[in-house]
Each structure stands twice: as C-alpha cells, then as structure tokens.
Amino acid sequence: MLLGKKRKLGRRVEDIKIGENLKLTEKIEDKDLLLYLGLTNDSNPLYIQHDFASQTAFEKPVVPNIMLTGILTSAISKYIPGPGSYITSQQLNFLKPVYHYATVDFTLEVIEVDIVHNSVIVQVEGIDEQGVIVVQGQITANPPRTIE
C-alpha cells in the first residue's frame, strides 16, 4: 500500500548526456555521525571517541567512509539519474580521512551513457576545505525504466 502522492521517476537513459554534472556541499555534523552509528550498530571507537582516536595515527575521530559513500549514492538516487535508479557498481578510493565537522564539496559528472544496457557511469569526487581530494571514483547506475 502506497501512502501519499506518487513520486516522479528520474530521467530515462535516453535523456541523460555525457558531461552533465552536479555539485553539492555537505558539512558532517555530530547528528549525522550519531545517526549512522545508531543505525548500523557500528561501535568502532575511532569514529566517535576522542581519547581513543588520539592514540591512533589519525589523532582525532574520523568520519566512516561508508557515510561518504552514502552521500554520493544519495545524490545518484536524487539527481543523476534520479528516483528509481539502481546502482549496480561503485569503485571508490578514500584518499584522505575526513574528520568531524568537515565540509566536503562533491562533484558528480556523467562520463558514459549506454542506452543499450540502460546504464550511466558517473565520475565522483569529494574535496575537503583544504582543497584536498578525499574520495574519488565511479558509480554505475541503471536509470529508471517505465513499464509500458
């Protein structure tokens, strides 16, 4: 049973062009970290405990990489290609840790459109406040198809 209004599907593969891009900025707040930790039951003290993290090479708590992945996959689901899209693969490299309260600028750009296989490849990158790339890679998604 579906409650509320029907959501509009994202764009079809035929409507997506190479070079389309999206830029978004995310500030990592305590509430985001606590929601993640509560939802996943991930109790790694490196993510939240300052005294523990101070004993590591990181020196202070880091943001779980899966949270950064979630920001990127959410952008795929919301914007490129949008609602109804399905991610089939992702290759991401986390080049530098992201710390609490960081602001990360994310860029997503369509680099390949395959109409025959109904897929798009989106190049992704995240840059921190110091201008350093913290995450980069590619996400492949199937845009939504309508039922004829």
Side-chain angles (χ1 to χ4, degrees), residues 27-34 37 44-50 53 60-64 67 97-104 129:
K27 181 162 176 59
I28 309 298
E29 302 284 352
D30 282 341
K31 67 176 177 55
D32 305 316
L33 292 157
L34 293 173
L37 295 172
N44 186 344
L46 180 61
Y47 298 148
I48 200 75
Q49 293 179 5
H50 291 267
K60 53 188 178 180
V62 298
V63 174
M67 283 184 62
V98 173
Y99 295 100
H100 292 207
Y101 312 112
T103 299
V104 180
E129 304 99 325

Side-chain angles (χ1 to χ4, degrees), residues 41-139:
N41 200 25
D42 188 340
S43 60
N44 186 344
L46 180 61
Y47 298 148
I48 200 75
Q49 293 179 5
H50 291 267
D51 58 336
F52 179 88
S54 70
Q55 301 172 59
T56 71
F58 297 105
E59 297 180 346
K60 53 188 178 180
V62 298
V63 174
N65 288 339
I66 196 70
M67 283 184 62
L68 302 174
T69 303
I71 292 167
L72 291 166
T73 59
S74 175
I76 298 289
S77 296
K78 290 180 192 175
Y79 307 111
I80 301 175
S85 57
Y86 181 76
I87 293 172
T88 57
S89 74
Q90 51 190 335
Q91 290 100 17
L92 300 174
N93 295 308
F94 300 95
L95 306 172
K96 180 181 177 261
V98 173
Y99 295 100
H100 292 207
Y101 312 112
T103 299
V104 180
D105 293 318
F106 293 97
T107 304
L108 294 85
E109 181 177 351
V110 176
I111 61 168
E112 186 175 317
V113 176
D114 184 341
I115 294 173
V116 173
H117 294 103
N118 189 50
S119 73
V120 296
I121 299 177
V122 180
Q123 183 79 34
V124 298
E125 184 175 81
I127 299 176
D128 70 9
E129 304 99 325
Q130 287 78 40
V132 176
I133 299 171
V134 295
V135 59
Q136 68 181 177
Q138 295 180 353
I139 298 175

Side-chain angles (χ1 to χ4, degrees), residues 9-14 83-85 114-119 142-148:
L9 288 173
R11 292 179 298 141
R12 298 176 323 137
V13 70
E14 296 87 1
S85 57
D114 184 341
I115 294 173
V116 173
H117 294 103
N118 189 50
S119 73
N142 295 132
R145 288 188 181 179
T146 55
I147 299 172
E148 301 290 329

